[in-house]
Amino acid sequence: MVVSEYWNAKNETRPREELEALQLIKLRRLCEWAYATTPFHQRRFDAAGFKPEQLKTLDDLRRIPFMTREEWMESLLEKPIFGEMLATDPVNAVRYHLTSGTTGRTPIRVLDGMKDWEWIAEMWCYGLWGFGVRPVDIVYFAFGYGSFIGFWGAHYACEKIGALVIPGGAQATEARIKQIVEMGVTTVASTPTYALTMWQKAREMGIDLASESKVNKLILSGEPAGSIPAAKRQLEEAWGAKAGDTAGMTEVGTIMIFECSHQPGGTHIIEDHYIEETINPDTEEPVGYGELAERVVTSFGRGFVPVIRYRTKDMVLKVPASVCTCGRTWDIYDGGIRGRWDDMKLIRGTNVYPRAVESIIREYNCIDEFQIYIWRKDDLVDEITIKLEVKPDQESEWPDLQHKLPRDLANAHEGLRFNIERMEFGTLPRFELKAKRLIDARPVAQYS
Ligand SMILES: [Zn+2]
């Protein structure tokens, strides 16, 4: 029997013209339904003078007002705890989730019904199957299974595919590694940072995961590193496995993009269930292929919370589907999600993006952990310091590294001076979920 490399061949290879016709039909239905059911959208559509029947071509999409996280938050605070976002009676819900707690931010809270969960799992099926997960696989979720939605959908998707699922749950890293080896796990799902942590811990335990485990696929999510070439290479070598990037968000409940097994250096957009627009974050004008842009998402699947033209602040660079050899007609975000527009830091007149800095640091295999530390010298001059730890068995690299790294960083940042500070091994924080490697210690008041 020939096994298709697509989860849904018809949808994944639909000619562009047909795909867009389908998107238009779905978009109109979505807007009609949101207008009829959701006070939040009613109010905003009315204020913008937009009516769903104005959607005659896909370009008419631009008549719909953008939706922002700030508006969503306002609605949650005004009418706790879900705001006026719900399209359905809460009694129909079966699950409650919220965004992962980035410090100081009020989380977005969402409800989902059974139908939503079917869809959430289906989106992950596209991605997992597309990267090569099959019924014979044994999939380990190194994931806490808490109120953060994370890999919940991927868990159900694996069941739907027919793979054997091992829910890692709240366990110490050592226990997880033992299970992975003992159970003959073939696929591990985790954040890139935690995949690296597991490998380091295994090494301390005297286990070489590349040769002693059966893992041949890593499913990554939650951080941009899954598409940073050097970080990915490091993970693939460490585990002796292929690493596939995915990205989702609590606001839509599941993934929007995934890397296929052909690994084109980016992630396909699931275009039959989403419209992903790319815009200039300042002018809000559409941006074409090959240019950095902000992604704006419209989701067709979630029944409880209609997400329409939502400004994500994620930085992306869209390229045509033909860049990949897999035959999917879905466009690609080259390099996955490259960071966030609001992560940009201004240091002495130069723009610095943490992800760009990380991708240079990751080129140095001898660096174990690092932190980007921004501070102000004598209350006057902004400074950027890379605090780093060298791997214990690669100390001899330090003299070279000390000179090369600041030079590479400066070359990529209009000559900006980067300070390098070597830290004792094991002193920088390690992360299990979303890594926070940027500290901006400058006085805040001067920036508000
Ligand atoms: Zn592909």
Side-chain angles (χ1 to χ4, degrees):
M1 190 183 76
V2 181
V3 179
S4 168
E5 72 170 292
Y6 311 110
W7 174 251
N8 183 330
K10 194 176 167 201
N11 286 344
E12 291 175 59
T13 59
R14 209 184 272 281
R16 195 87 214 157
E17 216 169 284
E18 258 182 52
L19 178 63
E20 287 178 3
L22 180 70
Q23 286 179 327
L24 177 61
I25 293 168
K26 286 190 174 189
L27 179 67
R28 221 177 130 157
R29 242 186 252 161
L30 171 71
C31 289
E32 282 165 359
W33 167 73
Y35 190 73
T37 57
T38 319
F40 176 85
H41 288 298
Q42 262 162 24
R43 201 174 53 238
R44 295 171 54 261
F45 286 5
D46 284 342
F50 166 70
K51 291 185 173 52
E53 57 264 33
Q54 290 172 331
L55 297 169
K56 304 262 192 274
T57 72
L58 213 45
D59 275 344
D60 294 326
L61 170 79
R62 295 176 64 186
R63 295 170 178 268
I64 309 170
F66 287 116
M67 174 179 169
T68 63
R69 186 188 165 101
E70 289 72 28
E71 287 171 288
W72 194 328
M73 291 312 312
E74 245 169 66
S75 182
L76 299 197
L77 294 171
E78 266 168 37
K79 297 232 163 104
I81 54 179
F82 299 107
E84 295 187 302
M85 309 299 297
L86 301 184
T88 306
D89 188 327
V91 81
N92 297 320
V94 296
R95 278 276 281 283
Y96 165 72
H97 281 285
L98 67 173
T99 44
S100 63
T102 316
T103 6
R105 279 224 294 199
T106 318
I108 280 184
R109 302 148 181 274
V110 289
L111 289 178
D112 287 296
M114 282 308 289
K115 215 176 141 207
D116 301 272
W117 274 98
E118 268 168 42
W119 175 75
I120 289 168
E122 183 71 7
M123 294 306 96
W124 273 102
C125 280
Y126 278 126
L128 294 172
W129 187 274
F131 194 64
V133 175
R134 297 291 179 270
V136 294
D137 277 305
I138 302 178
V139 187
Y140 192 88
F141 285 93
F143 168 61
Y145 287 89
S147 355
F148 171 51
I149 205 158
F151 283 112
W152 275 105
H155 172 119
Y156 295 127
C158 285
E159 291 184 353
K160 205 165 162 176
I161 287 171
L164 178 64
V165 171
I166 306 183
Q171 297 189 67
T173 304
E174 287 95 331
R176 285 175 166 162
I177 290 162
K178 280 186 194 152
Q179 274 190 320
I180 289 170
V181 176
E182 179 185 89
M183 293 301 295
V185 166
T186 62
T187 307
V188 170
S190 87
T191 62
T193 297
Y194 191 64
L196 204 58
T197 303
M198 280 191 281
W199 172 72
Q200 283 159 343
K201 185 52 94 182
R203 202 180 45 172
E204 283 170 37
M205 294 161 69
I207 297 172
D208 173 29
L209 287 170
S211 61
E212 293 174 56
S213 82
K214 293 210 171 84
V215 178
N216 56 30
K217 292 179 287 301
L218 297 172
I219 305 293
L220 305 174
S221 212
E223 295 164 345
S227 279
I228 296 179
K232 194 190 188 87
R233 220 165 36 233
Q234 204 175 350
L235 280 173
E236 293 194 325
E237 275 170 27
W239 283 80
K242 276 171 78 163
D245 192 19
T246 65
M249 56 204 296
T250 305
E251 288 92 327
V252 302
T254 183
I255 54 166
M256 305 77 51
I257 57 176
F258 68 90
E259 180 172 357
C260 72
S261 60
H262 294 240
Q263 296 189 296
T267 46
H268 286 283
I269 303 164
I270 304 176
E271 292 194 84
D272 62 330
H273 288 270
Y274 298 97
I275 294 177
E276 287 267 338
E277 296 170 75
T278 43
I279 64 164
N280 176 316
D282 299 321
T283 63
E284 300 183 343
E285 286 300 308
V287 162
Y289 289 136
E291 276 178 70
L292 281 181
E294 175 183 345
R295 54 174 283 265
V296 175
V297 60
T298 296
S299 141
F300 298 133
R302 200 176 223 177
F304 254 84
V305 186
V307 172
I308 305 169
R309 293 202 96 198
Y310 182 65
R311 298 276 305 256
T312 64
K313 295 185 181 162
D314 286 336
M315 189 190 290
V316 290
L317 189 145
K318 199 188 263 186
V319 295
S322 56
V323 165
C324 189
T325 51
C326 71
R328 285 181 181 81
T329 48
W330 295 345
D331 283 347
I332 293 170
Y333 284 141
D334 181 77
I337 289 173
R338 293 174 166 238
R340 293 183 53 78
W341 285 97
D342 49 6
D343 278 349
M344 190 199 79
K345 298 288 176 184
L346 195 65
I347 314 287
R348 300 197 297 272
T350 301
N351 292 342
V352 175
Y353 292 100
R355 186 203 195 263
V357 173
E358 174 167 1
S359 68
I360 292 168
I361 293 175
R362 294 288 192 194
E363 292 290 341
Y364 291 87
N365 228 324
C366 59
I367 298 176
D368 195 281
E369 189 54 76
F370 69 94
Q371 188 177 70
I372 305 167
Y373 189 79
I374 301 170
W375 50 292
R376 185 163 296 149
K377 195 176 178 180
D378 306 326
D379 287 333
L380 277 173
V381 189
D382 287 349
E383 292 284 345
I384 182 161
T385 299
I386 308 301
K387 299 185 177 187
L388 58 87
E389 294 176 14
V390 177
K391 288 179 185 161
D393 53 348
Q394 296 183 32
E395 309 238 330
S396 58
E397 305 277 330
W398 168 246
D400 232 23
L401 172 74
Q402 200 176 354
H403 298 293
K404 281 189 186 156
L405 181 60
R407 193 191 56 204
D408 287 355
L409 288 165
N411 286 345
H413 292 90
E414 302 166 349
L416 183 70
R417 175 180 72 249
F418 283 75
N419 309 292
I420 306 290
E421 186 180 341
R422 185 177 166 187
M423 310 292 287
E424 206 166 307
F425 185 75
T427 49
L428 290 172
R430 262 65 175 176
F431 302 91
E432 285 215 0
L433 254 181
K434 299 200 177 201
K436 196 176 180 316
R437 295 198 172 89
L438 178 100
I439 307 281
D440 191 342
R442 292 177 293 188
V444 176
Q446 300 183 34
Y447 284 84
S448 53

